[in-house]
Amino acid sequence: MANSPSESHVDVLIIGAGPAGLMAATWMSRCGIKTRIVDKRSTKIFNGQADGLQCRTHEILHSFGFGHRVYAETNHMLEMCLWNPDENGVLRRSDRIPDTPPGLSRFVESVLHQGRIERYFIDSLKEHDITVERGVMPEAIHLDESVDPADRTAYPVTVTLRHLTEDQAMPAECRTHGSGVQSGLFRSNLAKDDTDDILNAAKANPRAGSTEVVHAKYLIGCDGAHSWVRRQLGFAMEGEQTDYIWGVLDIIPITDFPDIRMRCAIHSVSSGSVMVIPRENRLVRLYIQLTTTEKGGGDYDRSKITPETILKAAQKIMAPYKIDYEYCDWWTAYQIGQRVGSQFSKNERIFLAGDAVHTHSPKAGQGMNVSMQDTYNLGWKIALVAKGICKPEILKTYQSERRRVAQDLIEFDHRFSRLFSGRPAKDLMDEEGISIEDFKAAIQKGHLFTTGIGVDYGASMIVAKSGDTAAQGDGTDVSARGKTTREIVGKQHLSSVIKLGMRFPSFPVLNQADARQWHFQERLPSDGRWRIIVFAGDVKQPEQAARMQELGKALARPDSFLRRYTPEDAPIDSVIEVLTIHSSPRRSVELTDFHEIFRPFRKGLGWDYWKIYVDDEPYHQEHGQAYRRYDVDAKRGCLVLLRPDMHVSWMGELEDVEELEEFLDRFMLNA
């Protein structure tokens, strides 16, 4: 008689160990959530795949403590060159623009191949006792829909996992070919889904690996564009596929093209387009258009796509400049399509993220970034619900916020990819051609979106904006429930820069205790805590000092929300951290001028010297001018509530503590 499958319990099971899955696991590791992450492939990526890292992604990676390692290894892209045919049809450089507009972030767009990025995640996870389990895939899933969503002790998701043999977990196309060049076609949308083939082969093989049953509180499906989890839920992908086919080469180029170490958009007269992405280690990535018809071109013969055919297309587009290579690190091809999942979650117990719910062209550098930002949005919500800090209702905001972002991304990518793939207009009467000025304008207008800095979450129970929550999101109602619940709206007029629903900007400030300058986002690690930022204003003015003392007393009351949300044996800042920035001259202020709640004391550790900051002149760097750049009144200040993902949740005056408490009570739980 065969042995019964083993059974286990876990808080969160993550299917898929690509960037989205690794980001989700990283949140769980920081919040102490019992987690498993599995992937059907027997090995991580070593070459190619996604490579662009946008500004917001760098901010997120730094918030987890390993972003500095990534940023140091990446190639930073500072300028973009536009190449177009002149009046005689000869390819010329038509413009230079900044790749990342100055002032958006302390980081710029950069590139590093996906395998290296995943390695940094994996190393970080190991430090927190989470290891990716490879050669493991789900073969059955069941959700007990009768379980109360508020029941944190229940395990309503049951998944049967199959452990694969080495051969089963390694797709044939993943193996290195005789040429020594690794192909990425097995992950391309031109390749058919191999999940069912692997499962069927595993079940039929008497030597196949074992199965086990995992009971989970939550499941996150990050298993790619062919998502098995999505198919089991019956969710559809909505959108369209074009006939545009693009090839990709990662090569060390031998060329006389002058801007090969710049990001370039190259439009030829009639042979298609090329995007040049300068990479690390002398590599350059070329995105090369293989077909020039958006619709009606018919099926493309996949067998005809080789590195040689892709190179020939690039040579034709870039003529009269010559380009060749002796070393190719990786290559692939894909078909442009824009699709969004019909739903991102099932009963707030099973969630989908990344390519499983949105697919688009890679040339705007959004795929990996938006995928990671999906689970950066989702991870802290699941973690805080699982820990009993937040109410389960906040999980509804994941679909509302991220599906809306995906819809906006598809709309942007639809315009951008067609502008990039279309041929230049010959003259003003050429209605079928694309305007190069329109293409440039689309790039410049899209910077806020493509960098990730402009993500703006709509009104919800955790974003105190006015208006209809369904209309500002993806159609999901994510308002605070209850007939007596009044609308609470943050006071946006207190700053034109700190915007409700958007990520909190970062400017340099000084630590009051030791005069060290910090970019303020460096003091906002992704550790699951909410944060109240107290812009204390000019605390040397008696009236402002009195306001700050009253605020301190209100926060320190035995029945204040800081006490109610915090477990009895935990530090007062373990659920909500209070950070202060004042505008008085640093030398005129002492830490003892501030109420103890702003610099809490811990037995054995003393006073916390890393809670109070000042907008003042440093010794060795430029003045951060934080109050001016945040556009906050330097005399009166304000209060700002930040979510664990650094997005602004609420804003008010120093006296608005009762309103802040009422707002927090809608989604926070008493300890």
Side-chain angles (χ1 to χ4, degrees):
M1 182 175 177
N3 292 329
S4 299
S6 62
E7 297 195 29
S8 61
H9 291 75
V10 68
D11 290 336
V12 178
L13 175 63
I14 301 168
I15 307 294
L22 293 170
M23 178 69 78
T26 302
W27 258 128
M28 303 308 155
S29 73
R30 298 308 194 270
C31 296
I33 304 300
K34 186 178 180 182
T35 303
R36 289 180 64 183
I37 177 170
V38 303
D39 195 284
K40 68 181 180 181
R41 304 302 180 193
S42 61
T43 182
K44 65 178 282 297
I45 290 171
F46 290 98
N47 305 74
Q49 298 303 130
D51 66 344
L53 287 170
Q54 300 290 356
C55 303
R56 180 60 184 145
T57 303
H58 280 299
E59 293 177 357
I60 292 169
L61 298 182
H62 273 72
S63 77
F64 282 121
F66 59 88
H68 60 288
R69 297 174 60 200
V70 178
Y71 200 59
E73 188 175 343
T74 61
N75 181 55
H76 301 179
M77 294 195 294
L78 301 175
E79 186 175 77
M80 183 174 185
C81 296
L82 308 181
W83 285 76
N84 296 288
D86 63 13
E87 62 277 7
N88 298 315
V90 179
L91 199 62
R92 305 285 187 194
R93 184 194 301 115
S94 60
D95 214 335
R96 299 179 190 262
I97 58 177
D99 186 78
T100 303
L104 280 183
S105 172
R106 67 191 196 272
F107 302 107
V108 299
E109 182 182 8
S110 65
V111 288
L112 182 67
H113 78 79
Q114 184 175 325
R116 289 296 295 161
I117 297 164
E118 290 181 4
R119 170 49 58 194
Y120 286 118
F121 272 110
I122 291 167
D123 290 347
S124 178
L125 288 173
K126 285 182 179 178
E127 293 173 1
H128 292 80
D129 300 319
I130 294 179
T131 302
V132 176
E133 301 173 47
R134 298 197 178 276
V136 181
M137 66 186 300
E139 67 175 28
I141 185 171
H142 174 71
L143 173 64
D144 185 349
E145 298 188 44
S146 67
V147 172
D148 184 351
D151 186 353
R152 294 193 302 110
T153 65
Y155 295 84
V157 184
T158 302
V159 181
T160 302
L161 295 178
R162 179 168 291 276
H163 294 255
L164 306 174
T165 65
E166 184 72 21
D167 286 344
Q168 292 161 353
M170 179 69 76
E173 287 191 88
C174 186
R175 298 189 178 95
T176 301
H177 296 276
S179 64
V181 179
Q182 191 176 79
S183 166
L185 276 179
F186 78 101
R187 290 181 181 268
S188 165
N189 61 1
L190 291 175
K192 76 179 189 70
D193 181 17
D194 63 355
T195 303
D196 290 337
D197 291 342
I198 294 173
L199 275 178
N200 292 334
K203 291 175 183 178
N205 185 351
R207 294 180 296 173
S210 61
T211 61
E212 64 169 312
V213 175
V214 178
H215 303 279
K217 294 179 180 178
Y218 303 97
L219 170 69
I220 309 176
C222 305
D223 49 343
H226 296 304
S227 174
W228 178 90
V229 177
R230 185 188 67 233
R231 285 197 286 124
Q232 305 314 300
L233 297 177
F235 295 168
M237 292 290 279
E238 301 169 348
E240 62 175 2
Q241 194 95 328
T242 73
D243 287 338
Y244 288 132
I245 307 291
W246 286 71
V248 188
L249 293 176
D250 280 351
I251 61 174
I252 295 178
I254 301 171
T255 182
D256 59 355
F257 182 69
D259 288 338
I260 199 65
R261 293 303 304 175
M262 295 287 186
R263 183 184 176 196
C264 295
I266 305 170
H267 284 91
S268 68
V269 173
S270 58
S271 300
S273 305
V274 167
M275 177 170 277
V276 178
I277 304 291
R279 295 276 308 277
E280 72 282 1
N281 299 327
R282 290 182 174 266
L283 289 172
V284 169
R285 172 165 293 187
L286 300 178
Y287 288 100
I288 302 124
Q289 190 173 353
L290 301 180
T291 62
T292 57
T293 304
E294 180 182 356
K295 291 292 182 185
D299 293 334
Y300 197 83
D301 187 351
R302 184 178 160 208
S303 66
K304 293 182 179 179
I305 304 176
T306 66
E308 293 73 26
T309 58
I310 296 172
L311 177 64
K312 286 179 181 178
Q315 291 170 334
K316 187 176 181 182
I317 295 167
M318 296 175 70
Y321 297 101
K322 296 178 174 59
I323 186 163
D324 205 339
Y325 66 83
E326 293 186 7
Y327 175 76
C328 178
D329 190 61
W330 178 86
W331 69 279
T332 190
Y334 65 91
Q335 190 169 12
I336 291 181
Q338 289 100 5
R339 293 193 172 103
V340 179
S342 58
Q343 291 176 261
F344 279 32
S345 72
K346 175 75 171 177
N347 289 26
E348 282 67 61
R349 290 288 186 172
I350 302 176
F351 300 87
L352 297 169
D355 289 353
V357 279
H358 48 74
T359 60
H360 36 84
S361 71
K363 288 181 293 302
Q366 295 301 289
M368 178 169 59
N369 293 272
V370 175
S371 294
M372 288 191 286
Q373 288 160 29
D374 282 349
T375 45
Y376 186 67
N377 176 291
L378 174 64
W380 67 267
K381 296 174 182 176
I382 290 179
L384 296 194
V385 171
K387 294 177 75 170
I389 292 173
C390 288
K391 297 176 183 178
E393 286 85 351
I394 72 165
L395 295 175
K396 289 184 177 293
T397 65
Y398 167 65
Q399 172 166 313
S400 172
E401 292 177 343
R402 295 309 299 177
R403 188 164 181 266
R404 179 57 182 264
V405 168
Q407 290 169 334
D408 291 345
L409 168 61
I410 295 307
E411 183 180 346
F412 170 81
D413 188 62
H414 182 88
R415 297 194 308 270
F416 184 78
S417 64
R418 281 155 180 77
L419 284 170
F420 203 100
S421 299
R423 65 168 177 79
K426 298 174 183 177
D427 50 46
L428 291 175
M429 303 302 291
D430 184 358
E431 295 182 358
E432 293 184 1
I434 61 106
S435 163
I436 299 305
E437 287 303 312
D438 287 348
F439 178 73
K440 177 183 174 182
I443 294 173
Q444 293 175 322
K445 289 180 181 178
H447 277 313
L448 261 183
F449 186 83
T450 57
T451 58
I453 302 301
V455 171
D456 187 358
Y457 296 142
S460 72
M461 66 187 77
I462 56 174
V463 177
K465 286 183 176 180
S466 63
D468 182 76
T469 65
Q472 294 182 32
D474 81 318
T476 306
D477 178 12
V478 287
S479 57
R481 300 299 176 90
K483 294 181 180 178
T484 61
T485 301
R486 70 182 180 96
E487 184 180 48
I488 293 179
V489 179
K491 295 178 178 176
Q492 185 62 74
H493 68 273
L494 294 174
S495 171
S496 64
V497 175
I498 303 169
K499 295 184 178 180
L500 293 164
M502 297 183 71
R503 119 318 186 180
F504 189 72
S506 185
F507 303 114
V509 294
L510 305 186
N511 180 282
Q512 174 66 37
D514 64 11
R516 178 176 174 179
Q517 188 177 63
W518 295 87
H519 241 283
F520 195 66
Q521 277 185 3
E522 295 180 275
R523 311 313 300 159
L524 308 175
S526 292
D527 54 16
R529 287 186 289 179
W530 291 77
R531 290 181 171 88
I532 297 172
I533 311 302
V534 180
F535 283 92
D538 186 358
V539 295
K540 294 308 292 182
Q541 298 299 317
E543 180 183 350
Q544 190 66 10
R547 295 178 74 210
M548 279 296 293
Q549 283 300 316
E550 288 302 311
L551 174 61
K553 290 176 184 178
L555 294 176
R557 289 195 326 261
D559 63 343
S560 81
F561 60 84
L562 288 183
R563 306 282 184 186
R564 287 192 292 107
Y565 303 149
T566 306
E568 189 174 350
D569 58 346
I572 191 64
D573 62 352
S574 60
V575 175
I576 300 178
E577 181 182 29
V578 179
L579 297 171
T580 301
I581 307 172
H582 71 86
S583 63
S584 302
R586 187 182 66 84
R587 296 182 183 187
S588 69
V589 174
E590 300 293 340
L591 285 177
T592 51
D593 293 339
F594 294 88
H595 193 285
E596 291 182 7
I597 198 69
F598 300 116
R599 48 184 180 90
F601 182 88
R602 291 176 65 177
K603 186 178 180 180
L605 295 176
W607 299 102
D608 194 326
Y609 298 102
W610 294 271
K611 302 290 193 194
I612 298 176
Y613 297 85
V614 55
D615 179 19
D616 202 355
E617 186 84 36
Y619 283 107
H620 302 291
Q621 293 93 10
E622 293 184 6
H623 197 308
Q625 302 289 337
Y627 266 78
R628 178 183 63 79
R629 296 167 78 182
Y630 279 122
D631 189 33
V632 171
D633 189 315
K635 294 187 180 298
R636 289 186 54 83
C638 67
L639 293 178
V640 179
L641 175 68
L642 301 186
R643 308 174 350 168
D645 59 2
M646 292 185 263
H647 280 254
V648 179
S649 186
W650 172 91
M651 184 158 38
E653 301 276 10
L654 301 189
E655 291 79 14
D656 293 337
V657 177
E658 288 187 7
E659 180 181 290
L660 173 58
E661 184 169 11
E662 182 182 344
F663 178 68
L664 286 164
D665 279 343
R666 296 177 179 186
F667 53 85
M668 300 290 285
L669 290 169
N670 292 333

PDB file of all heavy atoms in Angstrom, residues 63 169 172 315 318 352 511 516 572 589:
ATOM      1  N   SER A  63      15.099  49.694   1.034  1.00  0.00           N
ATOM      2  CA  SER A  63      14.331  49.609   2.280  1.00  0.00           C
ATOM      3  C   SER A  63      14.418  48.236   2.918  1.00  0.00           C
ATOM      4  O   SER A  63      14.138  48.081   4.107  1.00  0.00           O
ATOM      5  CB  SER A  63      12.861  49.973   2.020  1.00  0.00           C
ATOM      6  OG  SER A  63      12.149  48.914   1.392  1.00  0.00           O
ATOM      7  N   ALA A 169      12.181  18.845 -13.976  1.00  0.00           N
ATOM      8  CA  ALA A 169      12.218  20.258 -13.593  1.00  0.00           C
ATOM      9  C   ALA A 169      13.050  21.106 -14.546  1.00  0.00           C
ATOM     10  O   ALA A 169      13.018  22.332 -14.462  1.00  0.00           O
ATOM     11  CB  ALA A 169      12.772  20.388 -12.177  1.00  0.00           C
ATOM     12  N   ALA A 172      13.701  21.357 -21.806  1.00  0.00           N
ATOM     13  CA  ALA A 172      14.729  21.115 -22.816  1.00  0.00           C
ATOM     14  C   ALA A 172      15.316  22.413 -23.347  1.00  0.00           C
ATOM     15  O   ALA A 172      16.522  22.533 -23.556  1.00  0.00           O
ATOM     16  CB  ALA A 172      14.142  20.284 -23.960  1.00  0.00           C
ATOM     17  N   GLN A 315      20.970  44.637 -38.098  1.00  0.00           N
ATOM     18  CA  GLN A 315      21.907  45.231 -39.056  1.00  0.00           C
ATOM     19  C   GLN A 315      21.169  46.035 -40.124  1.00  0.00           C
ATOM     20  O   GLN A 315      21.626  47.110 -40.535  1.00  0.00           O
ATOM     21  CB  GLN A 315      22.744  44.117 -39.701  1.00  0.00           C
ATOM     22  CG  GLN A 315      23.720  43.471 -38.725  1.00  0.00           C
ATOM     23  CD  GLN A 315      24.368  42.212 -39.288  1.00  0.00           C
ATOM     24  OE1 GLN A 315      23.791  41.539 -40.161  1.00  0.00           O
ATOM     25  NE2 GLN A 315      25.550  41.873 -38.791  1.00  0.00           N
ATOM     26  N   MET A 318      19.828  49.337 -38.431  1.00  0.00           N
ATOM     27  CA  MET A 318      20.848  50.288 -37.986  1.00  0.00           C
ATOM     28  C   MET A 318      21.758  50.768 -39.110  1.00  0.00           C
ATOM     29  O   MET A 318      22.647  51.595 -38.876  1.00  0.00           O
ATOM     30  CB  MET A 318      21.679  49.668 -36.862  1.00  0.00           C
ATOM     31  CG  MET A 318      20.863  49.385 -35.611  1.00  0.00           C
ATOM     32  SD  MET A 318      21.791  48.522 -34.297  1.00  0.00           S
ATOM     33  CE  MET A 318      22.914  49.817 -33.783  1.00  0.00           C
ATOM     34  N   LEU A 352      -3.054  36.634  -6.890  1.00  0.00           N
ATOM     35  CA  LEU A 352      -2.204  36.534  -8.073  1.00  0.00           C
ATOM     36  C   LEU A 352      -1.409  37.816  -8.216  1.00  0.00           C
ATOM     37  O   LEU A 352      -1.898  38.906  -7.893  1.00  0.00           O
ATOM     38  CB  LEU A 352      -3.049  36.317  -9.325  1.00  0.00           C
ATOM     39  CG  LEU A 352      -3.871  35.026  -9.391  1.00  0.00           C
ATOM     40  CD1 LEU A 352      -4.849  35.081 -10.546  1.00  0.00           C
ATOM     41  CD2 LEU A 352      -2.961  33.810  -9.508  1.00  0.00           C
ATOM     42  N   ASN A 511      20.313  64.012  11.748  1.00  0.00           N
ATOM     43  CA  ASN A 511      19.954  63.447  13.044  1.00  0.00           C
ATOM     44  C   ASN A 511      20.258  64.479  14.126  1.00  0.00           C
ATOM     45  O   ASN A 511      21.363  65.024  14.187  1.00  0.00           O
ATOM     46  CB  ASN A 511      20.750  62.161  13.289  1.00  0.00           C
ATOM     47  CG  ASN A 511      20.421  61.525  14.612  1.00  0.00           C
ATOM     48  OD1 ASN A 511      20.891  61.963  15.662  1.00  0.00           O
ATOM     49  ND2 ASN A 511      19.628  60.477  14.578  1.00  0.00           N
ATOM     50  N   ARG A 516      24.488  63.549  11.858  1.00  0.00           N
ATOM     51  CA  ARG A 516      24.679  62.795  10.624  1.00  0.00           C
ATOM     52  C   ARG A 516      23.514  63.067   9.664  1.00  0.00           C
ATOM     53  O   ARG A 516      22.354  63.108  10.067  1.00  0.00           O
ATOM     54  CB  ARG A 516      24.759  61.293  10.905  1.00  0.00           C
ATOM     55  CG  ARG A 516      24.900  60.449   9.642  1.00  0.00           C
ATOM     56  CD  ARG A 516      25.083  58.987   9.963  1.00  0.00           C
ATOM     57  NE  ARG A 516      25.077  58.184   8.749  1.00  0.00           N
ATOM     58  CZ  ARG A 516      25.246  56.860   8.709  1.00  0.00           C
ATOM     59  NH1 ARG A 516      25.474  56.198   9.839  1.00  0.00           N
ATOM     60  NH2 ARG A 516      25.216  56.202   7.567  1.00  0.00           N
ATOM     61  N   ILE A 572       6.991  50.347  22.392  1.00  0.00           N
ATOM     62  CA  ILE A 572       5.919  51.244  21.985  1.00  0.00           C
ATOM     63  C   ILE A 572       5.953  51.555  20.497  1.00  0.00           C
ATOM     64  O   ILE A 572       4.937  51.914  19.902  1.00  0.00           O
ATOM     65  CB  ILE A 572       5.970  52.557  22.809  1.00  0.00           C
ATOM     66  CG1 ILE A 572       4.709  53.404  22.599  1.00  0.00           C
ATOM     67  CG2 ILE A 572       7.226  53.355  22.452  1.00  0.00           C
ATOM     68  CD1 ILE A 572       3.446  52.756  23.096  1.00  0.00           C
ATOM     69  N   VAL A 589      18.606  73.437  19.947  1.00  0.00           N
ATOM     70  CA  VAL A 589      17.617  72.475  20.420  1.00  0.00           C
ATOM     71  C   VAL A 589      18.302  71.322  21.138  1.00  0.00           C
ATOM     72  O   VAL A 589      19.382  70.865  20.728  1.00  0.00           O
ATOM     73  CB  VAL A 589      16.785  71.937  19.230  1.00  0.00           C
ATOM     74  CG1 VAL A 589      15.838  70.826  19.676  1.00  0.00           C
ATOM     75  CG2 VAL A 589      16.010  73.059  18.569  1.00  0.00           C
TER      76      VAL A 589
END
